[in-house]
Amino acid sequence: DSESATGEPRAEHHMSDGSSVLPGRRRQAKPVRISAAGEARILAQAEPKAHDEAWLQRRIHEHPELLPIWDIEPAFWPAVPVCMELPLSSGFVDNLLVNPDGNLVLVECKLWRNPEARRKVIAQIIEYARSLASLDYAQLEAQVRQAQEVAGTSLYQIAHAETSEAEFIDAVARN
């Protein structure tokens, strides 16, 4: 519609790329990745439904640096992936991460197109945190071993903690 609410014609804004946009209209943007060196690259759009929550979960497990943990709470960085699908009494945590200080990070993956994401993810994470808080360290280790792809690695070993194992266990129990 090229008329305003008052019936006046709207003036077009001419963009640097030669296109024009009417005021009040959204313009579709292309996502751009800018490297630390300042180099920009336009990202290609993924095929519809090419990625699901399991795909996102694997990416986070392989590259936890994708999460803005440092920006949210620096005390939880660096976060090291522990396991995916951690079984708890309230369900399965998509990703569990830990840092060398024994801080645990719970990740629940939801795609923007999933309407459940907007309504339930906060409640879901709170339930997971409540369930996790009810476990002692030995129970947590048992649940981690059940979810790990490579069994037998302890949280302490995964976290690369710089403290003694006893201090790390105490820190996890407090957190």
Side-chain angles (χ1 to χ4, degrees):
D1 160 350
S2 61
E3 292 183 1
S4 69
T6 62
E8 300 286 320
R10 293 186 189 197
E12 290 186 6
H13 292 282
H14 296 282
M15 310 305 288
S16 61
D17 65 0
S19 64
S20 61
V21 177
L22 290 172
R25 295 285 184 188
R26 289 183 143 197
R27 191 180 146 91
Q28 296 299 320
K30 294 183 180 180
V32 176
R33 180 174 188 216
I34 302 174
S35 71
E39 298 168 357
R41 181 173 62 98
I42 294 175
L43 300 174
Q45 184 174 359
E47 293 297 319
K49 299 191 180 193
H51 304 334
D52 57 10
E53 289 174 4
W55 176 88
L56 181 58
Q57 191 178 345
R58 286 188 304 276
R59 296 298 76 76
I60 290 169
H61 187 75
E62 294 166 358
H63 304 282
E65 67 276 6
L66 292 170
L67 299 173
I69 295 170
W70 176 264
D71 297 329
I72 296 168
E73 178 52 71
F76 285 79
W77 190 254
V80 180
V82 174
C83 64
M84 297 184 299
E85 296 297 324
L86 177 72
L88 295 173
S89 61
S90 55
F92 291 85
V93 174
D94 287 344
N95 295 77
L96 176 67
L97 298 93
V98 66
N99 80 347
D101 296 327
N103 293 314
L104 299 174
V105 178
L106 302 176
V107 178
E108 179 61 24
C109 298
K110 295 289 184 209
L111 298 178
W112 69 269
R113 66 177 173 251
N114 182 341
E116 178 187 16
R118 290 179 227 130
R119 294 189 305 267
K120 296 184 180 179
V121 73
I122 300 298
Q124 194 172 12
I125 282 289
I126 290 170
E127 281 299 308
Y128 291 160
R130 184 190 57 73
S131 295
L132 188 63
S134 72
L135 301 177
D136 63 26
Y137 187 82
Q139 292 168 323
L140 174 59
E141 282 270 316
Q143 295 306 95
V144 166
R145 278 193 298 279
Q146 186 177 335
Q148 283 178 328
E149 292 177 12
V150 179
T153 308
S154 71
L155 274 174
Y156 178 73
Q157 293 167 322
I158 292 168
H160 308 292
E162 297 175 4
T163 62
S164 71
E165 190 168 8
E167 291 172 318
F168 178 80
I169 290 169
D170 288 344
V172 170
R174 278 192 309 275
N175 296 325

